[in-house]
Amino acid sequence: MVNWFLSLDPVIQALIGTLFTWLLTALGASLVFFFKTINKKVLDGMLGFAAGVMIAASFWSLLAPAIEMTEESSSIPSFIPALVGFLAGGAFLGIVDKIMPHLHRGASTDNAEGIKTSWQRSILLVLAITLHNIPEGLAVGVAFGAVAANLPSATIAGAVALAIGIGIQNFPEGAAVSIPLRREGVSRRKSFFYGQASGVVEPIAGVLGALAVIVMKPILPYALAFAAGAMIYVVVEELIPESQYEKHSDIATIGTLIGFAVMMTLDVALG
């Protein structure tokens, strides 16, 4: 099975990796068939966990390899691609955040962000999660694309570790979408559909990310840092504020520490 996966084209590997992350989103969303409500402390802990995973992945899986790649293959200072890509990723998500209509948990539809729309509250809530699944899928895709570039600092084990880490945090994320929708009166089937749909963007972003770095190898360090900047933007703009919304800051903080530790362990042990 392992040899079969290693023999695949990197774009196909990226597709499989991001389909795995989407599958775990769907599994998390399926909890709506068993629960109608979710404890707010548990939900805040889940959001904190997701934040911790994304922070750790941004450094160990993305920024550190970007710096190492530049040191190995370029005469420019190693921090420049990481710095430029990181800020560009944050700026990109900032622009998308201002354009894409979405709604944060606990906010009224009057406080929806992005372009004004008459879309239903459920759609706006799903789009808020979809927004930060874009950099997650991109990160996994770029990681697999980096392996195709045959750089020593890029390994298939590291890319797999990143996909596993993102997938793990997607499980509670799927539940964090579907169960609150059910509590608001949306049917179980629709709640599940919306919950899993928030992760569909990841395979799309993953394949595009892998294709981009394979076709344009020199942009690889920038692409890795770009994904890191986008993820950190999501953590600071979306996940941490939402995890603190119900005032369960201690639970959310513990969740963040655990998520960080899990992703760090995966990346160091497997990568």
Side-chain angles (χ1 to χ4, degrees):
M1 186 68 175
V2 174
N3 290 334
W4 169 80
F5 184 77
L6 294 176
S7 67
L8 295 175
D9 182 87
V11 176
I12 302 300
Q13 291 175 339
L15 176 61
I16 293 173
T18 47
L19 283 174
F20 167 76
T21 63
W22 166 79
L23 175 62
L24 287 187
T25 302
L27 287 175
S30 71
L31 293 180
V32 75
F33 293 110
F34 306 98
F35 306 98
K36 185 175 181 178
T37 61
I38 184 171
N39 185 282
K40 292 181 179 179
K41 288 185 179 181
V42 173
L43 182 56
D44 289 340
M46 289 178 174
L47 292 171
F49 179 87
V53 168
M54 293 176 72
I55 293 170
S58 295
F59 176 72
W60 271 281
S61 298
L62 299 170
L63 284 175
I67 293 171
E68 292 174 11
M69 289 174 190
T70 306
E71 290 174 344
E72 295 164 357
S73 60
S74 178
S75 59
I76 65 174
S78 58
F79 69 88
I80 289 181
L83 176 63
V84 173
F86 183 82
L87 294 178
F92 171 75
L93 254 289
I95 293 171
V96 174
D97 185 63
K98 295 295 186 295
I99 296 175
M100 180 185 288
H102 62 284
L103 182 66
H104 296 295
R105 180 173 65 99
S108 67
T109 51
D110 293 334
N111 295 322
E113 298 183 10
I115 296 174
K116 297 301 180 183
T117 178
S118 59
W119 291 349
Q120 295 179 349
R121 176 180 173 83
S122 57
I123 300 296
L124 294 174
L125 288 169
V126 171
L127 287 176
I129 302 297
T130 303
L131 181 64
H132 66 75
N133 281 339
I134 295 173
E136 291 174 9
L138 180 64
V140 175
V142 170
F144 279 104
V147 178
N150 296 318
L151 293 173
S153 55
T155 65
I156 192 68
V160 169
L162 178 59
I164 292 173
I166 295 297
I168 289 173
Q169 65 97 23
N170 275 1
F171 181 84
E173 204 169 75
V177 177
S178 63
I179 295 178
L181 288 177
R182 175 59 180 159
R183 189 176 63 241
E184 293 187 8
V186 180
S187 70
R188 292 185 188 276
R189 288 186 178 181
K190 281 189 176 181
S191 295
F192 168 73
F193 175 78
Y194 289 140
Q196 64 81 31
S198 66
V200 171
V201 70
E202 291 192 8
I204 298 172
V207 169
L208 291 176
L211 283 172
V213 298
I214 291 173
V215 174
M216 297 176 284
K217 182 178 176 180
I219 73 166
L220 181 52
Y222 296 91
L224 287 167
F226 182 95
M231 289 213 291
I232 292 298
Y233 181 94
V234 167
V235 169
V236 177
E237 172 71 12
E238 309 272 349
L239 294 179
I240 290 180
E242 288 190 30
S243 71
Q244 305 286 330
Y245 182 79
E246 299 291 346
K247 311 302 180 184
H248 302 137
S249 59
D250 52 344
I251 301 297
T253 300
I254 292 171
T256 302
L257 292 173
I258 293 174
F260 187 97
V262 168
M263 186 65 235
M264 176 180 65
T265 302
L266 279 173
D267 197 278
V268 175
L270 298 181

